[in-house]
């Protein structure tokens, strides 16, 4: 069971974010005990949040794979055949009431 490098980096990013959340809650608990006012998280927690966010964003962009073309004339977007189960393809529905009567001539 081999994990990709991007997946492992994403997992490390999530762990860092979880640790930052735990550290912040512990810090707030300490402030309640000492009766100080919460003015913001410590600098180390802010650094953890930024590092964790960058790692998670990098993993989210690299783990899913390559981006595919969305151009309509691309060969990758051609529909080769219809799905095997045509029972769920419905063309007679209530949306046909809202179709405007437009006489448009197609230019070839």
């Amino acid at each position: 069971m081999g994990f990709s490098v991007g997946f492992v980096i994403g997992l490390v990013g999530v762990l860092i974010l979880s640790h930052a959340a735990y550290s912040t809650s512990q810090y707030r608990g300490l402030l309640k005990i000492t009766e100080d006012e919460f003015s913001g998280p410590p600098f180390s927690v802010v650094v953890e949040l930024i590092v964790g966010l960058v790692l998670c964003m990098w993993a989210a962009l690299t783990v899913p794979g390559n981006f595919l073309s969305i151009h309509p004339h691309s060969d990758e977007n051609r529909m080769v055949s219809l799905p095997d189960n045509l029972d769920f393809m419905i063309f007679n529905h209530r949306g046909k009431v809202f179709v405007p009567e437009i006489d448009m001539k197609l230019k070839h």
Side-chain angles (χ1 to χ4, degrees):
M1 181 176 193
F3 294 114
S4 67
V5 175
F7 181 79
V8 172
I9 288 177
L11 188 64
V12 168
V14 168
L15 290 174
I16 288 174
L17 288 175
S18 301
H19 183 264
Y22 180 75
S23 297
T24 302
S25 66
Q26 289 294 322
Y27 178 69
R28 288 195 61 158
L30 178 68
L31 289 179
K32 286 181 183 178
I33 291 172
T34 59
E35 297 179 357
D36 288 336
E37 199 172 305
F38 181 74
S39 61
F43 181 71
S44 62
V45 172
V46 173
V47 170
E48 279 186 54
L49 287 171
I50 292 171
V51 169
L53 178 69
V54 167
L55 291 177
C56 287
M57 286 177 58
W58 185 80
L61 291 174
T62 58
V63 169
N66 297 330
F67 290 110
L68 300 177
S69 174
I70 60 169
H71 296 298
H73 301 295
S74 176
D75 290 336
E76 298 170 357
N77 294 339
R78 299 284 180 208
M79 180 189 275
V80 177
S81 64
L82 292 173
D84 293 334
N85 190 357
L86 297 177
D87 293 338
F88 295 105
M89 295 183 74
I90 300 172
F91 299 105
N92 188 14
H93 53 81
R94 62 183 169 202
K96 67 181 178 183
V97 174
F98 300 111
V99 176
E101 297 286 334
I102 298 176
D103 291 330
M104 295 180 65
K105 294 183 179 178
L106 297 175
K107 295 180 182 180
H108 293 284

